[in-house]
Amino acid sequence: MQLRCFDTKCATKLDLHAPALACPTCGELLEVDMDFSAIDAPALKALWSERRKSRDVRDISGVWRYREFLPAYPANEIVSIGEGNTPLVRGRKTAEWAGVSDLQFKHLGWNPTGCFKDLGMTVGMTEAVHTGAKVVACASTGNTAASLAAYAARAGVIGRVYLPAGQVSLNKLAQALDFGAEVVEIEGSFDDALNTLLEKTNEGIYFLNSINPFRIEGQKTTMFELLDQLNWKAPDYLVVPGGNLGNSAAFAKAFDELLRFGFIDKLPRMIVVQAAGANPLAQLWRRGVDELIPVDEPETIATAIRIGNPRSWKKSLRGVRTTGGQVLDVTDEEISEAKAVIGRDGIGCEPASAATLAGLRKLRANNTIPSDASVVAILTGHALKDTNFIIRSHQREEAHAH
Ligand code: F0G
């Protein structure tokens, strides 16, 4: 197992545990290159089912259960807090609202810290500890910070989080503080916070943003667990919100591996949905030119995806293309409306996650997706992240009613 440059033309290879976040030859992102010589799909499907009865910490984790597709570590080094094992919930009012008959939500908000970041963090933190890190850090719009803080606390290392000042949900800030992280507030956006952090290469800090290929490996298992839940039959469409584009990049890697090794015989079309005020990939898609033009001042109520210069765009775009999917954007009004419908369906999520349902409705409205298609939408974060948003929108409703 090695690290390899994501650019197949460059194809630089590095030692798996090399302390690099980018290719030293061309600057492109790295990814984990598996040695898959011993993969036997039917045997692994049976083994993964069997592990659900086990009490081994690695088998209980919805990430490490699929460890044949992850870098290997001694069992006692694994930093896990029971991540994964999130439900598939059938959409009812939401399905009707979007105009599809077969809609399910994979709710990653039901992870230990309330969002999907835990799935990547368990692998990223394990790698950090394995390589002797003492200080780990990330820039964040909130969720990554809370997740890093929790896993750093479990691992007994210092967690430091760089947050755009005044733009992060207080609930997430509270979680980060509760878990004992050091909080650094940066004037500006998430992109500014990430740039500030990435300048600190000489300070012995281990970086845990999703440009870290080990985070991507953990997040990849979302698709293993989803397809396992669907008896290895892919839905027609998979809808995911896009911010820094790490999650869709991770799903793309999972699809490639699962198809290549015969776990599935068909890929879902991956639909990435961005917020209209933070939509560089959707703009690229519309222009049809493979050059990302960052959005200088990203703006959206969905603070989690308020990101103008997504780092993993090439990985994400490759996944959209190979699956025959597409990229679109939705307005803040559409996101708010979709979020309310998800709430009324008894599910609930944070605004960024609701972009999926808003996007789905839009694609149905212009008939891009047939009404009888099977659709899985990824809800990335918990309704309790952005409680201010909910209270404010209901105060507005009240004011209108009087
Ligand atoms: N949904 C939620 C709830 C998020 O927190 C994020 C990203 C995304 C979607 C977008 O995922 O970046 O992989 O495309 N949140 C980051 C953070 C950036 O700092 O918590 P992506």
Side-chain angles (χ1 to χ4, degrees):
M1 217 176 277
Q2 289 177 302
L3 290 177
R4 72 171 170 228
C5 177
F6 177 69
D7 184 340
T8 45
K9 286 203 280 303
C10 170
T12 296
K13 298 218 169 179
L14 302 175
D15 178 76
L16 181 65
H17 304 294
L21 278 187
C23 172
T25 314
C26 73
E28 191 50 80
L29 294 185
L30 298 167
E31 63 181 359
V32 173
D33 187 11
M34 295 282 163
D35 169 15
F36 287 122
S37 45
I39 294 293
D40 172 347
L44 278 180
K45 287 179 185 178
L47 176 65
W48 294 340
S49 284
E50 199 54 35
R51 282 182 183 158
R52 288 178 185 274
K53 297 182 204 149
S54 158
R55 306 232 189 279
D56 184 319
V57 173
R58 294 169 305 168
D59 295 342
I60 290 168
S61 163
V63 172
W64 296 102
R65 180 177 306 132
Y66 304 101
R67 57 190 171 274
E68 284 74 14
F69 279 78
L70 297 174
Y73 302 95
N76 62 358
E77 279 186 16
I78 285 176
V79 187
S80 168
I81 28 182
E83 54 288 324
N85 301 306
T86 54
L88 257 183
V89 187
R90 186 155 289 284
R92 293 192 181 132
K93 289 180 183 154
T94 40
E96 200 180 308
W97 186 77
V100 288
S101 52
D102 182 2
L103 172 62
Q104 298 192 80
F105 293 100
K106 174 81 174 147
H107 208 322
L108 306 181
W110 299 355
N111 267 295
T113 72
C115 99
F116 71 94
K117 306 288 179 178
D118 298 341
L119 304 167
M121 207 53 79
T122 182
V123 180
M125 197 65 72
T126 299
E127 170 66 13
V129 172
H130 183 75
T131 55
K134 299 282 179 279
V135 183
V136 296
C138 68
S140 178
T141 56
N143 281 323
T144 309
S147 183
L148 175 138
Y151 283 83
R154 294 299 305 173
V157 299
I158 294 171
R160 194 172 293 156
V161 299
Y162 290 72
L163 306 177
Q167 292 171 27
V168 168
S169 133
L170 284 183
N171 304 357
K172 284 285 147 178
L173 182 60
Q175 265 184 306
L177 293 170
D178 196 30
F179 295 130
E182 297 174 5
V183 175
V184 184
E185 289 199 304
I186 301 290
E187 286 307 321
S189 65
F190 166 85
D191 304 283
D192 298 316
L194 184 55
N195 286 336
T196 306
L197 172 60
L198 291 176
E199 281 159 16
K200 303 192 178 298
T201 44
N202 295 325
E203 297 180 21
I205 296 173
Y206 187 87
F207 297 99
L208 275 169
N209 279 98
S210 59
I211 51 176
N212 180 319
F214 294 87
R215 281 264 320 267
I216 298 292
E217 288 307 295
Q219 286 174 211
K220 182 181 86 175
T221 64
T222 308
M223 288 303 116
F224 285 64
E225 187 176 276
L226 171 68
L227 286 156
D228 197 349
Q229 285 167 311
L230 294 172
N231 291 322
W232 304 101
K233 190 172 173 307
D236 297 325
Y237 293 87
L238 180 87
V239 193
V240 57
N244 212 15
L245 299 170
N247 217 20
S248 45
F251 297 172
K253 190 163 190 279
F255 294 148
D256 175 58
E257 293 171 1
L258 289 169
L259 189 67
R260 197 144 39 102
F261 296 98
F263 286 80
I264 49 176
D265 51 22
K266 179 197 109 173
L267 295 179
R269 292 176 190 270
M270 184 163 73
I271 311 283
V272 176
V273 188
Q274 295 202 296
N279 64 350
L281 195 70
Q283 285 191 37
L284 176 155
W285 187 260
R286 280 196 286 268
R287 276 199 315 273
V289 180
D290 275 17
E291 186 202 348
L292 188 95
I293 303 175
V295 171
D296 281 341
E297 291 188 7
E299 196 47 75
T300 167
I301 49 153
T303 52
I305 51 174
R306 193 170 185 266
I307 295 173
N309 189 15
R311 303 297 168 127
S312 295
W313 70 271
K314 287 185 187 163
K315 290 183 175 182
S316 173
L317 184 62
R318 190 187 287 178
V320 171
R321 290 238 167 86
T322 51
T323 63
Q326 66 166 288
V327 187
L328 76 159
D329 55 4
V330 290
T331 63
D332 280 0
E333 291 68 37
E334 290 167 324
I335 292 174
S336 302
E337 211 184 324
K339 184 178 144 41
V341 182
I342 294 170
R344 296 300 158 83
D345 221 354
I347 300 170
C349 66
E350 68 169 276
S353 312
T356 54
L357 184 68
L360 179 61
R361 179 167 152 110
K362 199 166 167 179
L363 292 177
R364 270 298 297 134
N366 62 22
N367 249 326
T368 309
I369 292 186
S371 63
D372 62 352
S374 56
V375 182
V376 172
I378 303 293
L379 298 181
T380 44
H382 201 281
L384 291 178
K385 172 178 179 182
D386 215 341
T387 40
N388 269 347
F389 175 91
I390 304 175
I391 304 292
R392 270 199 314 270
S393 46
H394 284 269
Q395 279 168 340
R396 266 198 305 275
E397 261 176 39
E398 281 277 298
H400 279 304
H402 291 111

